[in-house]
Structures are given as structure tokens and as C-alpha cells.
């Protein structure tokens, strides 16, 4: 039998467990109740029923920002870390006890998605610390308020509600939000306030924020958007041109979306609409003065009066400048004269013309330079079909390749002139509607037909159905290039017009310099004559038949032509 005079360490452990109610009744890791036996300076002595008392810092009994209110004899709950330390005292913690109790409560509230009350008491990286009745939670900086808050000092050490976003008891992590509470409260206020508003209502508000597309106006707990297009009837590039943050403005409620709780506001609706009676104020054809307010790729906007702008399309900006950017014709803020072309009051559109306010240079040119007059200008451009000549009034005239010189081909004539060269030409035709001026240079050469005959004949001295003697200038596969007379207009005879018979339609039977008669059968687009031997033969045959009888009377065609030939000789 073991002696009890000198008990072993196991015997002491067994006796201690027995005194505490057995192994299941151990104190370590539990929250127990104790009694305050003394308060010594900043430490509180607590008896929890163990052989030794424990000490807890007085500050653990104080709420953040407050002094501890504790007296001897008060009963408190503490957490037992260890039964004894090296000094033989019980290791107790009031904070741990409060934290354990708080976690139990918070888990229940988190499950129910309920609000919790806490106090912001410190700063950490990325946010703040919040005391939730013993449990420490993290408040991210983005969750402090609906809008960024620069100074949170007024919010610290004040009990206020929070929403638990996330919690992990094993890791001891709790994330809370103050913003969620404010948004919920604000939504309730907005819902109540929006019921008191109506479309068309006029109300005062305070400008809270300004963006490129408008301004947000506080209507007393709910914001409305004042779009830049609803600030004024006149063009506004940025809302700051009319309003500033903090201004009190009078607005009209245009639309209310009660589902999204969005409110559209307007200021120009409180003014008279300048478009009323616009059709009467701006009749088509009226000449007006305005200011260029905006320039785009397709034209320029001109303000006729505050709130009314018209568009000058790029095609209506200049008579002579084509395919250029409107910014090269007018500039912003420039005062210009315009003509009203069209008014659509319903669509709030006015079409204006800038070039119509000045004289048409094509009309002016036609008045100053009638057909047959001589003009001088610079070769602006040489193309494969002719030359463009710069003329008075900033207009261009064209000399077709066939009207450059006599006796040579059009391609060779083009090579005689270069860009920038000053030349003289005669006016052949002016088409004001199509803005075209046809010029001729060869008509000014010595021996050329008079300018007046150009207009009458359309082919420099020859007329349709006229019979002329031509000289072969060039033999081609498709026909002959010929010249009327010794020093007249050049023209062409197609292969099929060289004779009635197929054998006669061979160009190679003619030689350069050979002369023969042909009939003028028409003119091409450049007013160059077309000749025909075949047409002349048919015409002479008809004439012979008419004068010397017909084959119906018994005479053969040979007899008739023989008689005609005798008469001609």
C-alpha cells in the first residue's frame, strides 16, 4: 500500500481535478464568473474559486474611449487561460471573455443579417478597427461612407451601427461596413421622398457634383441629373459655364423612374422656347447674320440667336472650294452672313447656305466673259483629256485636248503645255448649273475660224450636213484623222464611213496628204466634227435619182448615174 506521507505529482493532479469537479469541470479555456476582491492601481484582483486569485488589467473593463467603472465585490466574467503561472496565480482575461461572448452573439446576428453596434477606435493599413462589444473587426476605408471621407475623427469613439460583411471565427477575422447601413437608410429616405415628387414639378436644389455630361443636384435627400443639353437652349460645351458646385438652382422635374429611382431635371424648360415661331422668323431665302459656334467634318453650326442654331453643310460653304474641311473656310466665333435654305421647326433644324450669301462666280464669269471672248489664266492641272485653266473669280475652265492645237493629235498637244504656264484661250461655252467652262486655245491660232462661227457651227467653221474637202492627216486602223480645208478644223472618219462597199472601208487605201470630199455628219462631246464619205455617197445618189429619174421608170441605176456624171462634168 502506497504511503500518503510523501504524495507524488500525479497525486496532486488527481486531488486538483477532484476539487474542480473532475476532468470535465476544468477551468482552462472557459469563461467563468469571478468576484472583484481588490483594485490595486491599474490591476484588478479577481477570485474565480481557484486556490489562487488572478489579476486583470483595469483597462480591460473599460469600453473604448471611456473609463472603467468597477468596484470591489462586483461580479464579472473572465476567461481562464491557465490555472497557475510561474507565480502561482491564475491567468485571467477580461478581453478574452468579452470576445468569446461577443463572437457567440455576432455569429447569431451575422446569420440573421442583423445590424450590430460598434465603436471605431483605431487606424490600420487600409482601414480602421472597430470594437464590437469585445470582438475587434476590420472596417475597410471604402466602407466608411457612401463617398470618400478624408477625416474620420468625428466618427471615432462613437457607438454606431454596422453591417457584418464577412466573419471567420477560426481565424478571428470580422469585416464590417458602415456604408451598407448608410445606403440602406438613404434608399429608404429616397423611396419616401420620391413619392412626394411629380413630373413637371418645379423645385430648388443644390449642385453637388459636376461632370462633362451634366450636374447632380441634391433635392433634399435624393439626387437628380441635370443633363448638359437641358441647361439652356443655347449651346453649352461644359456645365461649369453656367453653374458651380454649391449653387442653389431652380429646376423642373422632367422624368421620374420610380423603379430605378432616377430623376431627370431641366433648367431650360423654365425659359421660353426660342423655336416657337421659328418658321415665321426665319423664312426660306432670308439673309441673316450669325456666329460660328461649332465646326465638324460635315459642316459648321451658326448661332442665329441664343438657343437657335443652323447647320451650314460643307456642300453649301463655297462655290469654288470643293472637298475641303469646313475649318479651312470658317473659324469658330467668326461672324458670317448666311441664307436660310430650309426650316424644320418640329425637328429643330435650320439648313443654311454660306455660298448663297455671295454672288455665284459662274454667273459673274458668264456676264463678264461671254462666248467668244478671250481670257488668260494659269495652267492649274493637266489631265489625260485636257488642261484646267485658273480664271477670274477663282473658277477653272477646261481646254479639251482636241481644242489645244491644230494639225496634231490631242496627246501631242497636251505635251506642249506644263502646270504653272500662263496661256490664253477663247470661251466656247459656260454652263452655270453644272459649273463648267469650256475653253479653246487652237481657235486663237492664225487662220483659225472666227470665234462667232464656233458658237454657230459647234465645230469651228463647219456645219452639220455640209460637204467639205478634207486632207488625210493620219491613217489608223479605226479610220482617218482629217483636216477640213488647208487650215481648218480637224476631225475623224470612222472605218465604216469610208465608203458604202466593204472594199472601200479599208483605211490603208488612203495616204497622208490625200484630199477628197466628205460630209459633216455630227460632232463629238468636244465639238470636234465627224466626217463620212459613205454619207456623201448616199446623199449624191439620192440627189441623182431625184433629178434624172428613177429605176421604176425603166432606167437602170447605171444609166441614171451616168447622166448625173455627164451633167456634173
Amino acid at each position: 500500500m502506497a504511503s500518503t506521507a510523501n504524495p507524488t505529482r500525479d497525486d496532486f493532479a488527481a486531488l486538483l481535478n477532484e476539487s474542480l469537479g473532475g476532468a470535465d469541470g476544468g477551468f482552462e479555456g472557459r469563461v467563468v464568473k469571478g468576484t472583484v476582491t481588490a483594485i490595486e492601481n491599474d490591476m484588478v484582483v479577481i477570485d474565480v474559486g481557484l486556490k489562487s486569485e488572478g489579476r486583470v488589467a483595469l483597462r480591460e473593463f473599460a469600453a473604448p474611449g471611456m473609463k472603467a467603472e468597477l468596484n470591489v465585490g462586483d461580479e464579472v466574467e473572465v476567461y481562464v487561460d491557465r490555472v497557475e503561472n510561474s507565480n502561482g496565480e491564475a491567468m485571467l482575461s477580461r478581453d478574452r471573455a468579452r470576445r468569446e461572448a461577443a463572437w457567440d452573439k455576432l455569429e447569431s446576428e451575422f446569420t440573421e443579417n442583423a445590424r450590430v453596434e460598434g465603436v471605431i477606435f483605431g487606424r490600420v493599413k487600409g482601414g480602421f478597427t472597430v470594437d464590437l462589444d469585445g470582438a475587434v473587426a476590420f472596417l475597410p476605408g471604402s466602407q466608411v461612407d457612401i463617398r470618400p471621407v478624408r477625416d474620420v475623427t468625428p466618427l471615432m469613439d462613437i457607438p454606431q451601427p454596422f453591417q457584418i460583411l464577412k466573419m471567420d471565427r477560426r481565424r478571428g477575422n470580422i469585416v464590417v461596413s458602415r456604408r451598407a447601413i448608410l445606403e440602406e437608410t438613404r434608399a429608404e429616405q429616397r423611396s419616401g421622398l420620391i413619392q412626394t415628387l411629380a413630373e413637371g414639378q418645379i423645385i430648388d436644389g443644390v449642385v453637388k457634383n459636376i461632370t462633362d455630361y451634366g450636374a447632380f443636384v441634391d433635392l433634399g435627400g435624393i439626387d437628380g441629373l441635370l443633363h448638359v443639353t437641358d441647361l439652356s437652349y443655347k449651346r453649352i460645351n461644359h456645365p461649369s459655364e453656367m453653374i458651380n458646385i454649391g449653387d442653389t438652382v431652380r429646376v423642373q422635374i422632367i422624368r421620374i423612374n420610380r423603379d430605378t429611382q432616377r430623376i431627370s431635371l431641366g433648367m431650360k424648360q423654365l425659359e421660353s422656347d426660342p423655336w416657337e415661331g421659328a418658321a415665321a422668323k426665319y423664312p426660306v431665302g432670308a439673309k441673316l447674320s450669325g456666329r460660328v459656334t461649332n465646326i465638324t467634318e460635315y459642316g459648321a453650326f451658326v448661332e442665329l440667336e441664343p438657343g437657335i442654331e443652323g447647320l451650314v453643310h460643307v456642300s453649301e460653304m463655297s462655290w469654288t472650294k470643293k472637298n475641303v474641311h469646313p475649318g479651312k473656310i470658317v473659324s469658330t466665333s467668326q461672324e458670317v452672313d448666311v441664307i436660310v435654305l430650309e426650316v424644320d421647326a418640329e425637328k429643330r433644324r435650320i439648313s443654311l447656305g454660306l455660298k448663297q450669301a455671295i454672288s455665284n462666280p459662274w454667273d459673274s464669269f458668264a456676264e463678264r466673259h461671254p462666248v467668244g471672248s478671250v481670257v488668260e489664266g494659269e495652267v492649274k492641272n493637266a489631265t489625260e483629256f485636257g488642261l484646267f485653266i485658273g480664271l477670274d473669280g477663282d473658277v477653272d475652265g477646261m481646254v479639251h485636248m482636241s481644242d489645244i492645237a491644230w494639225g496634231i493629235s490631242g496627246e501631242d498637244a497636251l505635251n506642249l503645255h506644263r502646270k504653272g504656264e500662263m496661256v490664253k484661250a477663247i470661251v466656247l461655252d459656260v454652263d452655270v448649273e453644272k459649273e463648267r467652262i469650256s475653253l479653246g486655245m487652237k481657235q486663237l491660232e492664225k487662220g483659225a475660224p472666227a470665234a462667232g462661227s464656233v458658237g454657230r457651227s459647234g465645230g469651228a467653221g463647219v456645219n452639220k450636213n455640209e460637204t467639205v474637202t478634207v486632207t488625210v492627216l493620219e491613217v489608223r486602223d479605226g479610220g482617218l484623222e482629217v483636216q477640213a480645208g488647208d487650215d481648218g478644223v480637224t476631225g475623224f472618219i470612222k472605218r465604216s464611213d469610208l465608203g458604202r462597199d466593204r472594199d472601200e472601208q479599208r483605211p490603208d487605201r488612203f495616204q497622208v496628204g490625200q484630199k477628197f470630199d466628205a460630209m459633216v455628219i455630227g460632232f463629238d462631246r468636244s465639238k470636234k466634227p465627224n466626217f463620212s464619205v459613205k454619207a456623201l455617197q448616199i446623199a449624191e445618189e439620192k440627189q441623182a435619182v431625184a433629178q434624172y429619174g428613177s429605176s421604176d421608170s425603166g432606167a437602170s441605176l447605171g444609166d441614171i448615174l451616168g447622166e448625173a456624171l455627164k451633167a456634173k462634168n
Side-chain angles (χ1 to χ4, degrees):
M1 181 176 176
S3 174
T4 59
N6 296 307
T8 65
R9 182 178 297 178
D10 293 338
D11 295 331
F12 277 115
L15 291 171
L16 179 60
N17 285 335
E18 184 180 352
S19 65
L20 294 177
D24 294 338
F27 274 39
E28 288 187 4
R30 294 176 53 192
V31 176
V32 298
K33 290 185 178 181
T35 303
V36 178
T37 59
I39 299 177
E40 301 173 353
N41 296 328
D42 58 348
M43 300 298 291
V44 179
V45 181
I46 301 174
D47 179 14
V48 293
L50 298 174
K51 289 185 177 182
S52 59
E53 296 172 329
R55 293 175 177 270
V56 180
L58 181 61
R59 59 178 173 75
E60 292 190 23
F61 291 90
M66 301 178 66
K67 296 178 68 174
E69 296 181 1
L70 196 65
N71 299 307
V72 176
D74 288 349
E75 189 177 69
V76 294
E77 288 186 343
V78 292
Y79 182 85
V80 180
D81 272 337
R82 287 166 56 189
V83 174
E84 286 185 356
N85 61 7
S86 59
N87 297 325
E89 297 178 336
M91 293 294 293
L92 307 177
S93 172
R94 171 60 181 169
D95 284 345
R96 188 71 181 272
R98 291 175 60 237
R99 190 158 51 245
E100 290 295 323
W103 270 96
D104 292 338
K105 180 181 178 183
L106 292 175
E107 284 182 335
S108 175
E109 291 172 331
F110 178 61
T111 303
E112 298 175 359
N113 197 29
R115 299 180 181 182
V116 297
E117 188 173 272
V119 177
I120 302 174
F121 67 90
R123 293 175 181 268
V124 293
K125 184 179 180 180
F128 307 89
T129 53
V130 179
D131 178 32
L132 300 179
D133 196 19
V136 178
F138 174 63
L139 174 64
S142 61
Q143 297 295 323
V144 176
D145 206 326
I146 296 175
R147 293 184 177 86
V149 178
R150 294 183 179 180
D151 184 14
V152 297
T153 303
L155 301 176
M156 297 185 71
D157 302 326
I158 299 175
Q160 51 193 315
F162 294 90
Q163 185 77 39
I164 299 177
L165 301 180
K166 183 174 64 175
M167 65 185 302
D168 186 339
R169 186 163 187 168
R170 184 174 61 85
R171 296 184 178 182
N173 293 337
I174 304 177
V175 180
V176 295
S177 171
R178 179 175 177 269
R179 175 178 177 173
I181 301 297
L182 296 177
E183 288 179 342
E184 185 178 345
T185 303
R186 184 184 182 190
E188 293 174 356
Q189 294 175 347
R190 286 169 59 93
S191 180
L193 179 59
I194 204 170
Q195 299 301 325
T196 64
L197 302 177
E199 294 183 0
Q201 181 179 350
I202 298 174
I203 189 172
D204 291 334
V206 178
V207 179
K208 294 181 63 176
N209 189 27
I210 295 178
T211 66
D212 292 339
Y213 55 86
F216 288 94
V217 180
D218 184 2
L219 304 178
I222 188 170
D223 292 347
L225 175 61
L226 177 58
H227 198 270
V228 63
T229 57
D230 289 313
L231 275 167
S232 175
Y233 284 107
K234 66 179 183 179
R235 180 181 292 273
I236 301 296
N237 295 320
H238 195 273
S240 58
E241 296 177 13
M242 287 191 62
I243 55 177
N244 299 302
I245 294 177
D247 288 353
T248 299
V249 293
R250 172 152 288 195
V251 294
Q252 185 178 41
I253 298 176
I254 302 175
R255 287 179 300 277
I256 298 178
N257 190 327
R258 302 190 186 278
D259 295 332
T260 60
Q261 295 189 344
R262 291 181 180 178
I263 301 175
S264 299
L265 307 174
M267 286 179 61
K268 73 179 184 182
Q269 287 74 9
L270 301 178
E271 306 172 1
S272 59
D273 189 351
W275 281 92
E276 292 182 2
K281 287 190 295 183
Y282 305 107
V284 174
K287 186 175 182 179
L288 308 168
S289 295
R291 180 177 62 88
V292 178
T293 57
N294 191 30
I295 297 176
T296 67
E297 293 183 356
Y298 53 85
F301 288 91
V302 177
E303 184 182 57
L304 303 178
E305 67 172 85
I308 291 189
E309 288 183 345
L311 173 64
V312 181
H313 193 267
V314 63
S315 61
E316 307 294 346
M317 301 195 78
S318 174
W319 291 108
T320 57
K321 295 179 180 179
K322 309 294 184 181
N323 301 322
V324 298
H325 192 277
K328 294 183 178 181
I329 301 177
V330 295
S331 58
T332 305
S333 301
Q334 179 182 347
E335 295 289 335
V336 293
D337 291 332
V338 292
I339 299 295
V340 178
L341 303 180
E342 184 181 359
V343 179
D344 190 336
E346 292 184 1
K347 295 182 178 180
R348 297 174 177 263
R349 294 177 182 174
I350 296 182
S351 297
L352 303 174
L354 188 64
K355 68 182 183 182
Q356 289 80 357
I358 59 177
S359 60
N360 186 338
W362 308 96
D363 279 330
S364 301
F365 182 88
E367 292 176 2
R368 297 194 309 269
H369 305 286
V371 173
S373 59
V374 178
V375 294
E376 184 177 6
E378 178 185 348
V379 178
K380 291 291 188 67
N381 191 22
T383 67
E384 59 182 8
F385 52 84
L387 303 174
F388 283 93
I389 312 298
L391 304 173
D392 295 340
D394 202 21
V395 296
D396 292 343
M398 192 195 78
V399 182
H400 193 270
M401 54 189 285
S402 62
D403 288 316
I404 296 178
W406 297 103
I408 60 175
S409 65
E411 291 80 1
D412 293 337
L414 283 172
N415 294 328
L416 297 176
H417 302 280
R418 295 291 181 268
K419 185 177 180 180
E421 179 184 354
M422 295 298 296
V423 296
K424 288 185 178 180
I426 191 171
V427 178
L428 302 179
D429 184 45
V430 179
D431 191 330
V432 176
E433 291 185 1
K434 295 182 179 180
E435 298 181 352
R436 293 177 183 173
I437 299 175
S438 298
L439 304 175
M441 293 170 60
K442 71 181 183 182
Q443 288 80 0
L444 294 177
E445 295 179 10
K446 185 177 180 180
S453 66
V454 176
R456 290 192 300 271
S457 66
V462 296
N463 298 286
K464 188 175 181 180
N465 298 325
E466 180 182 358
T467 300
V468 295
T469 301
V470 298
T471 303
V472 178
L473 298 177
E474 183 181 359
V475 179
R476 304 178 188 174
D477 291 339
L480 304 177
E481 183 78 19
V482 298
Q483 182 177 15
D486 295 333
D487 203 12
V489 65
T490 61
F492 193 74
I493 303 178
K494 295 181 181 179
R495 184 186 185 105
S496 59
D497 286 318
L498 291 175
R500 294 184 64 177
D501 298 332
R502 186 174 295 274
D503 291 340
E504 296 176 341
Q505 294 175 356
R506 292 183 294 104
D508 56 5
R509 72 186 184 90
F510 294 89
Q511 296 179 352
V512 175
Q514 181 178 346
K515 296 184 178 181
F516 55 87
D517 290 343
M519 177 180 288
V520 180
I521 59 174
F523 303 90
D524 59 17
R525 295 182 64 182
S526 61
K527 300 184 180 179
K528 190 174 181 179
N530 293 321
F531 299 99
S532 174
V533 177
K534 177 180 178 180
L536 179 60
Q537 292 174 341
I538 294 174
E540 289 180 343
E541 180 180 318
K542 289 182 178 179
Q543 184 179 7
V545 170
Q547 291 183 0
Y548 300 100
S550 67
S551 58
D552 293 338
S553 62
S556 66
L557 183 59
D559 296 336
I560 295 173
L561 293 179
E563 291 297 324
L565 184 59
K566 288 180 181 179
K568 185 176 182 180
N569 292 332

